Amino acid sequence: MDNPEELDKFDRTHRFEAGVDAEALVGNLESAISLIGREADRFDEYADVYSANPVTAHRVARESRRREGDKADRWFARAMVAAMCCLTAVCALHSAREIAMIARLLG
């Protein structure tokens, strides 16, 4: 099998059979689809508003998962409010200084 020509001839003259376990494949596909469905339910936050028939069990599960992350969400919201207040104060002071400098120049 060191000779490429002999290897090519062997590949042309011999058949290779491959088999697929259909039941295992279908089982794997079903488990993958169920995982995707569960992930989709976790992030379907607008289903309650736009769906004609919202599923109560999914809505309750989503709400409980949202409540689990409330502490982090509250911390992030408070940090953003503090950052925006600081930015507003800095912008106001900068604007007041610029106005004062312009008033001196026009003086």
Side-chain angles (χ1 to χ4, degrees):
M1 292 297 160
D2 293 333
N3 188 350
E5 293 172 1
E6 289 180 20
L7 185 60
D8 187 42
K9 183 180 176 184
F10 179 82
D11 287 345
R12 289 185 197 169
T13 57
H14 290 77
R15 289 188 179 180
F16 296 97
E17 294 183 17
V20 176
D21 185 5
E23 291 180 16
L25 181 62
V26 168
N28 289 339
L29 288 174
E30 287 176 351
S31 64
I33 290 171
S34 69
L35 286 173
I36 291 170
R38 277 188 266 152
E39 285 297 316
D41 286 340
R42 285 185 64 202
F43 297 106
D44 190 13
E45 52 189 73
Y46 299 105
D48 301 335
V49 177
Y50 296 108
S51 176
N53 299 317
V55 179
T56 306
H58 292 300
R59 185 176 66 238
V60 170
R62 279 194 307 274
E63 288 174 0
S64 69
R65 278 191 296 272
R66 287 181 193 144
R67 271 187 248 115
E68 290 173 0
D70 275 352
K71 291 179 183 176
D73 292 342
R74 286 181 188 159
W75 178 85
F76 180 72
R78 289 176 183 154
M80 288 304 293
V81 167
M84 290 298 116
C85 289
C86 291
L87 181 64
T88 302
V90 167
C91 289
L93 291 174
H94 181 69
S95 297
R97 195 180 93 205
E98 291 294 319
I99 291 171
M101 289 179 68
I102 292 172
R104 271 193 224 152
L105 287 176
L106 296 176

